[in-house]
Amino acid sequence: MALPEYIKALVNTNDNGNPGVEVKTLPFARTFKVARLPADHLVVKARAFGLNPTDWKLTIGDWAESAGTGKVVGYDMAGEVVAAGPDVHHLKVGDRIAVCQFGTYYQDNGAFADYSVVDSALGFKLPESVPFEAGAALLVRLKLHRCTSRYLHTSQAGAYTAMQAIHGRLHIPLPSSGEKVNKTIVIWSAASAVGHGAVQLAVNAGLKVIAVASPRNHSNLRELGASACVDYKDADAVAKIKAAAGGRIDFGIDCVGVDNSSDSTVAAMSEGGHLISIMLASSTALALAQSKNIKVEFILGGTLHGFEFNIAALGGQKVPVIPEDYALMKKWTSTEMPYLFERNALKAPKVRVMPGGLHGIANGLKIMREGAYGAEKLVYSAQS
Ligand SMILES: NC(=O)c1ccc[n+]([C@@H]2O[C@H](COP(=O)([O-])OP(=O)(O)OC[C@H]3O[C@@H](n4cnc5c(N)ncnc54)[C@H](OP(=O)(O)O)[C@@H]3O)[C@@H](O)[C@H]2O)c1
């Protein structure tokens, strides 16, 4: 298939101190990345785009200044493979895939574009039954009919980060091992995208899950397999988590990093436990964790991409390569996602399909910044 000379892409801008986004025309077919496609990379024609909180923070939020300008926005997308390097083995031309890009980082590549160049390690094949819009939100239609209530959502960026927490840092055996772990985990902000993925992966691995979320999400979280649910606004949340566990809580994931989320998660956990935090834990939490001999690890989904990068969220700080994370990612997309799909082991998120294609995304970013989206995933169809 002949690749287009030019494509449309959503890039970040800054007009006299006012950060924003704009759809621009960029050269494509003759750019270095496309003309010299790395052997393990793909060219993907976009069919749907999924939004993450990181997208608005990097473009119209606190991280916009550090992010610079002229970068192609977007992490999550689904589309068709139109070219594949010779070292790509788990995907091929014509496959329908979902993929997580590195958004608002490159001037010539990102998820929110007509076409993009992607590392095959970050992509997995979508079953025919999963629409592109669902794929861009990692939605698995297979069990949608059983998922009767609202407020479920997830995302690839979120799901990959959940996978990194559960299987990478907490060393829970991968799904295809079939091994089960007889321990308890508390997942704070379990209805968030990361939390939703974490609950499912933890349940799948046999862990007893205490999910912390707003009451409106409790029935859905129970449906996903959480043993107990606690409201984070409840003044007795920590005591209720401990009571629900009825024994040791060895693992914790703080999936939100706001207010007292890390303090409370540590407070609920047992001596000698292991907490994963996806935003920096508070100093109170770190002090408490030290006194309880709880290991606290901050993770960045970005290290799953396999290269050194500067993180705008931390003022441009350099983040080194973590080879084990990239190896885990490759295994996850090539063997674990197909394994989970085959067993129907991931359940449907709630997706809100938004109008306007690439041009509509600016509005979605504002909706997310205002927090006006509930527990659902905003997705845009690509307009071909
Ligand atoms: N470290 C990384 O690499 C990484 C990766 C992905 C995301 N993140 C960051 O992690 C955060 C979550 O991302 P996401 O995509 O999962 O977000 P999201 O899906 O947009 O999260 C929305 C959910 O957060 C919950 N929430 C809001 N305030 C809360 C609080 N005080 N306590 C507990 N839960 C609360 C709400 O749950 P209820 O509906 O139950 O109230 C809401 O449904 C974002 O800040 C994002 O930037 C970091």
Side-chain angles (χ1 to χ4, degrees), residues 51-57 63 151 153-155 157-158 161 164 188-196 212-218 221 231-233 254-261 277-279 298-302 311 368 373-377:
L51 270 57
N52 286 292
T54 306
D55 296 319
W56 74 258
K57 292 177 187 177
W63 307 338
Y151 301 123
H153 63 141
T154 185
S155 70
T161 307
Q164 182 187 27
W188 198 282
S189 193
S192 67
V194 179
H196 180 267
V212 183
S214 294
R216 63 184 177 168
N217 297 319
H218 288 186
L221 289 164
D231 181 4
Y232 56 83
K233 292 191 195 80
D254 173 11
C255 300
V256 65
V258 296
D259 305 330
N260 59 347
S261 60
S277 154
I278 65 161
M279 301 299 279
F298 168 59
I299 60 167
L300 286 167
I311 179 161
M368 291 199 81
Y373 63 105
E376 64 196 340
K377 182 81 176 163

Side-chain angles (χ1 to χ4, degrees), residues 42 44 77-79 81 91 95-99 123-126 132:
L42 308 162
V44 179
M77 56 97 82
V81 177
L91 297 168
D95 279 351
R96 304 164 70 258
I97 72 163
V99 67
F124 59 86
K125 190 172 171 178
L126 290 171
F132 286 114

